[in-house]
Amino acid sequence: MADSLREQVDYCGTTAITHLLDTLSTVQHDKSLRSDGNRAWAVRQSSSQLAESVNDWLSENEPQFLALSQPKVHGHRGGNYHYYAPTRNTAAPVRNLAKGEISVYDALFKRYSSHCGWDWRLLAAQAYEESAFNPYAVSWAGAMGLMQLMPQTARDLGVTADRVYDAESNISGAVRLIRQLNDHYLDVRSSDERINFILAAYNAGPGHVDDARRLAAKRGFRSDVWADVAPIVLRMSQSEYYNDPVVRHGYFRGTETYNYVADIRARWQTYRTKIR
């Protein structure tokens, strides 16, 4: 089954993976829907082996798939959109160590970080993770700008389409989202612990993070301590976990979210050491 599926996906990857999905007959829209927040595919509820094969194939071939499926984008007000696919990189680039400058956007990070109670260097670390400080970055999934806001999220935050590539508008929108997530996780009493959950939810959505917290509590772990919840996040692509009755949002690829939090925290620590 797995080898046959991989042959089919290899063939149709150059056109669209939807060609394969169209052959999967009647789809039931419940926990047969697999999604990591960016991609989604569906199989019959009884076809767990097929679903796992698709998941395995994507894990092994994601870079090639993304390269083939990235959108074609064009210039914006004299600038360029850039397809951006973050890779694991805990580097902490510094624009000018002697002057204590991380990026050209430091003044904005300092101004808006006070709106959400964060260290400005943490906001800078997150921005680098999101776009490598490129205000015209566009992900394959359509996330836009310095802080990679999805179109609907940007609209909900009051960032209009003509301002989403403006660095200040993008940062201010992201900070409004961070404030919303902070309110969502007020039950996490430690402000430092809360940062972990906010970052995870910024990346994966609060629904998936809340699922992991419920699973952690069900299994006897502390749901307000990231070190206890993170191992659950890592396993949210396993059917034993995403099919648990307490899970409301289904499958997601938690390795990306786990690494997202870890990389930003590591970069922030470096910035705190180097930049005063």
Side-chain angles (χ1 to χ4, degrees):
M1 172 72 77
D3 289 341
S4 174
L5 176 66
R6 288 191 176 93
E7 289 175 4
Q8 292 180 62
V9 176
D10 284 338
Y11 171 77
C12 49
T14 56
T15 54
I17 198 169
T18 52
H19 175 76
L20 174 62
L21 299 183
D22 287 343
T23 69
L24 295 180
S25 188
T26 303
V27 172
Q28 297 189 14
H29 294 285
D30 47 16
K31 289 189 179 179
S32 62
L33 180 66
R34 320 293 182 190
S35 173
D36 66 358
N38 295 323
R39 293 167 295 276
W41 53 96
V43 300
R44 287 190 299 271
Q45 193 170 16
S46 60
S47 301
S48 59
Q49 186 177 1
L50 177 59
E52 295 303 327
S53 295
V54 174
N55 294 339
D56 290 344
W57 180 89
L58 184 60
S59 296
E60 295 173 9
N61 297 277
E62 183 178 33
Q64 298 93 319
F65 174 73
L66 294 182
L68 290 167
S69 62
Q70 63 176 289
K72 303 300 181 182
V73 291
H74 306 284
H76 174 74
R77 293 191 176 181
N80 291 314
Y81 293 122
H82 297 279
Y83 167 72
Y84 181 65
T87 56
R88 284 216 65 201
N89 181 5
T90 57
V94 174
R95 183 169 184 249
N96 190 318
L97 184 58
K99 294 182 178 180
E101 296 178 354
I102 294 174
S103 75
V104 297
Y105 303 107
D106 286 3
L108 295 175
F109 295 139
K110 291 175 181 178
R111 182 186 310 165
Y112 286 98
S113 63
S114 64
H115 295 188
C116 62
W118 274 16
D119 178 354
W120 73 272
R121 295 164 296 186
L122 172 57
L123 197 58
Q126 185 185 17
Y128 182 76
E129 182 76 14
E130 289 288 350
S131 67
F133 299 138
N134 177 2
Y136 295 108
V138 177
S139 79
W140 72 271
M144 301 172 290
L146 204 66
M147 302 297 291
Q148 291 288 277
L149 300 176
M150 291 296 289
Q152 185 59 55
T153 301
R155 288 191 291 271
D156 292 344
L157 294 168
V159 182
T160 57
D162 64 329
R163 299 294 293 171
V164 73
Y165 296 102
D166 171 72
E168 183 168 4
S169 298
N170 200 279
I171 291 171
S172 65
V175 165
R176 285 193 289 276
L177 177 56
I178 289 168
R179 288 179 63 180
Q180 291 175 9
L181 293 172
N182 183 76
D183 291 344
H184 184 79
Y185 291 111
L186 283 178
D187 65 307
V188 179
R189 295 188 177 183
S190 165
S191 58
D192 189 65
E193 281 291 346
R194 196 182 307 142
I195 286 170
N196 297 320
F197 291 97
I198 291 171
L199 289 173
Y202 191 105
N203 177 257
H208 287 307
V209 177
D210 293 348
D211 281 344
R213 293 186 71 195
R214 282 189 290 271
L215 270 175
K218 181 177 180 178
R219 291 168 181 255
F221 299 106
R222 297 167 295 178
S223 65
D224 59 350
V225 176
W226 182 247
D228 281 15
V229 176
I232 304 295
V233 168
L234 281 172
R235 293 172 173 81
M236 290 301 292
S237 62
Q238 299 176 17
S239 59
E240 174 189 351
Y241 287 78
Y242 64 71
N243 282 325
D244 191 285
V246 303
V247 173
R248 301 170 187 171
H249 298 87
Y251 170 98
F252 90 101
R253 196 159 54 90
T255 51
E256 178 182 332
T257 300
Y258 177 91
N259 290 332
Y260 181 87
V261 175
D263 290 353
I264 292 173
R265 294 290 308 220
R267 191 175 302 112
W268 180 32
Q269 180 57 40
T270 300
Y271 283 153
R272 284 189 290 181
T273 301
K274 292 183 175 180
I275 306 295
R276 299 299 178 183

